[in-house]
Amino acid sequence: MRNYTGQGNRQVITDIMQRPMRDLRISVTDRCNLRCTYCMPREAFDKDHPFLSRADLLNFEEIERLARSFIQLGVKKIRLTGGEPLLRRGIERLIEPLAKLNTNEGKPVEIALTTNAVLLSQKAQSLKDAGLARVTASLDGLTDETYRRMSDSDVSVKTVLDGIAAAHRVGLAPVKVNMVVKRGVNDHEIIPMAGHFRNSGVVLRFIEFMDVGCTNGWRMDDVVSAREILEQINSRYPILQADPNYTGEVAERWRYTDGSGEVGVIASVTQAFCHECTRARLSTDGKLYNCLFASNGADLRGPLRAGATDQMLGNLITGAWKLRFDRYSQLRHAATGGLSGEESRGKPGEKIEMSYIGG
Ligand code: SAM
């Protein structure tokens, strides 16, 4: 295992399982304009929920400074997320400096963003102008009824589709669309969604419903496995597996045999990919989390605000990453793989919420 030794250093750090740090997900707000039942259920995220105050949030200069440290340690891609990142006022002013950063190899750091696309129509052009490379949009169904059941909001599907179209038009490409599938709630929309996005240039990816956080009442019975999803699609639109774009890609890629594009599945529950996870996560208030399912993070905001040098920040990040041995999804799979019903529920009270750590 090698160490970070300061400014200009080009060494790669690895964790206990020899996984390098390649991707950084930054949550820029813990707030959202939707209340998806699987992510921010209204009962838990109501008006009494203690959302972070403005002073708690990392400001843009702080985020940029930390991003530079992460990049020196090997990060090549940054994804802005949340909560809903387009709710963070002036997000373009954060994207601009980030998009000018280079990796240790001298290539531009790729800046992407995950959004529910509610505000994307009006923001797509300014995001592109600021230097954003790509967007991933979330859409869990094509009918307003299904969308309402998943997002617990009155937003229309048309609003989201318009946002996706705007992103595609301005070149935030390839636009990807994430659909979380919950049994009995939106699984009847798998084929219509596949049909809608074939031939569009937009890459649809189906995500297995995960037990993130402690509030979404996850049960294995609600998970529609990636295999099941692929079988459904294949029976209607024949598909063949495609090679990954790069090692460690979370989505498994499949191509329609008639040339009408590709779909992906993210099988984080039934085929955990912890062994090749290279993602670090920076929470809205500046904590470094080594896993989406972590309970504790390393505070970077405190030292940053107390005047830590770049080298000190780099050492803090290195120290946290070197101790990383998280592989929650693989352990969960071992623990709940054969279970269903009440016995498969995740243990409550420990994991942090996805809206805070960043999805
Ligand atoms: N607000 C943005 C959005 O809607 O895309 C970004 C944050 S959201 C937490 C990021 C992604 O995580 C979304 O695609 C969402 O569907 C997914 N997600 C949230 N909770 C999930 C869960 N329990 N299982 C699987 N995916 C989940």
Side-chain angles (χ1 to χ4, degrees):
M1 207 171 296
R2 285 171 284 179
N3 282 320
Y4 174 81
T5 54
Q7 199 75 21
N9 183 286
R10 296 191 171 204
Q11 291 179 339
V12 171
I13 57 162
T14 53
D15 69 9
I16 286 177
M17 292 165 69
Q18 301 305 315
R19 297 169 295 189
M21 184 167 59
R22 292 269 183 258
D23 312 83
L24 176 64
R25 302 211 163 185
I26 304 176
S27 174
V28 293
T29 175
D30 60 341
R31 292 165 198 257
C32 191
N33 41 1
L34 300 182
R35 284 293 176 271
C36 298
T37 53
Y38 54 82
C39 186
M40 293 182 74
R42 200 172 288 281
E43 313 78 73
F45 293 88
D46 59 6
K47 61 179 174 28
D48 297 325
H49 180 78
F51 287 104
L52 294 169
S53 71
R54 201 171 172 72
D56 285 326
L57 269 52
L58 291 179
N59 65 37
F60 291 165
E61 289 72 30
E62 291 170 332
I63 294 177
E64 185 195 340
R65 176 123 182 259
L66 289 174
R68 285 177 185 274
S69 291
F70 279 98
I71 290 165
Q72 285 210 332
L73 295 169
V75 161
K76 301 185 189 328
K77 283 190 200 165
I78 292 179
R79 178 170 294 278
L80 302 176
T81 177
E84 172 47 41
L86 298 189
L87 287 183
R88 181 81 188 249
R89 200 175 313 146
I91 182 112
E92 296 85 350
R93 283 187 286 107
L94 171 64
I95 293 169
E96 262 170 40
L98 292 181
K100 295 194 176 106
L101 299 177
N102 283 332
T103 65
N104 287 337
E105 293 74 32
K107 296 190 180 138
V109 173
E110 187 183 60
I111 312 295
L113 178 141
T114 303
T115 172
N116 57 33
V118 175
L119 300 171
L120 194 53
S121 284
Q122 62 200 73
K123 286 266 190 184
Q125 189 64 59
S126 60
L127 293 169
K128 175 73 181 170
D129 294 345
L132 189 70
R134 293 193 294 109
V135 292
T136 298
S138 305
L139 175 64
D140 299 331
L142 277 181
T143 61
D144 283 337
E145 192 195 341
T146 304
Y147 188 70
R148 192 175 309 116
R149 284 175 79 192
M150 293 296 277
S151 68
D152 193 7
S153 78
D154 290 329
V155 170
S156 70
V157 170
K158 181 177 183 310
T159 302
V160 178
L161 289 175
D162 286 350
I164 293 168
H168 188 67
R169 206 168 40 244
V170 304
L172 290 168
V175 178
K176 292 182 181 162
V177 169
N178 283 347
M179 173 177 177
V180 176
V181 184
K182 241 185 124 173
R183 191 177 301 284
V185 184
N186 69 337
D187 48 345
H188 61 290
E189 299 235 12
I190 292 172
I191 297 292
M193 283 282 283
H196 182 87
F197 286 107
R198 283 168 78 227
N199 286 311
S200 70
V202 169
V203 179
L204 175 63
R205 289 138 26 121
F206 298 92
I207 309 184
E208 291 178 349
F209 171 41
M210 292 185 287
D211 53 332
V212 282
C214 301
T215 56
N216 69 8
W218 183 87
R219 297 179 322 146
M220 190 68 199
D221 299 15
D222 296 331
V223 177
V224 181
S225 74
R227 286 303 121 205
E228 242 180 293
I229 294 169
L230 290 169
E231 273 165 30
Q232 271 199 44
I233 296 172
N234 188 48
S235 66
R236 179 66 186 273
Y237 306 115
I239 44 175
L240 278 176
Q241 188 157 11
D243 290 334
N245 284 315
Y246 52 89
T247 318
E249 188 172 32
V250 290
E252 205 178 272
R253 298 173 60 214
W254 292 75
R255 281 191 195 291
Y256 295 111
T257 53
D258 65 359
S260 55
E262 70 175 81
V263 278
V265 282
I266 302 180
S268 25
V269 176
T270 61
Q271 295 163 58
F273 35 79
C274 307
H275 57 285
E276 49 189 23
C277 176
T278 56
R279 279 174 292 285
R281 294 168 186 275
L282 184 61
S283 69
T284 318
D285 57 353
K287 291 203 178 76
L288 164 60
Y289 287 89
N290 285 336
C291 176
L292 181 55
F293 299 92
S295 349
N296 298 107
D299 179 35
L300 300 178
R301 189 191 64 188
L304 180 68
R305 291 188 179 170
T309 62
D310 288 343
Q311 177 153 356
M312 286 155 88
L313 292 172
N315 286 342
L316 282 170
I317 298 168
T318 303
W321 191 262
K322 275 169 67 176
L323 293 175
R324 178 183 191 244
F325 64 95
D326 308 66
R327 51 189 184 105
Y328 175 87
S329 293
Q330 282 172 345
L331 300 176
R332 173 236 287 124
H333 182 54
T336 64
L339 303 180
S340 61
E342 284 304 309
E343 54 191 347
S344 69
R345 273 187 195 279
K347 284 208 182 69
E350 287 158 13
K351 292 170 283 157
I352 42 163
E353 297 297 327
M354 196 165 182
S355 47
Y356 159 77
I357 195 176

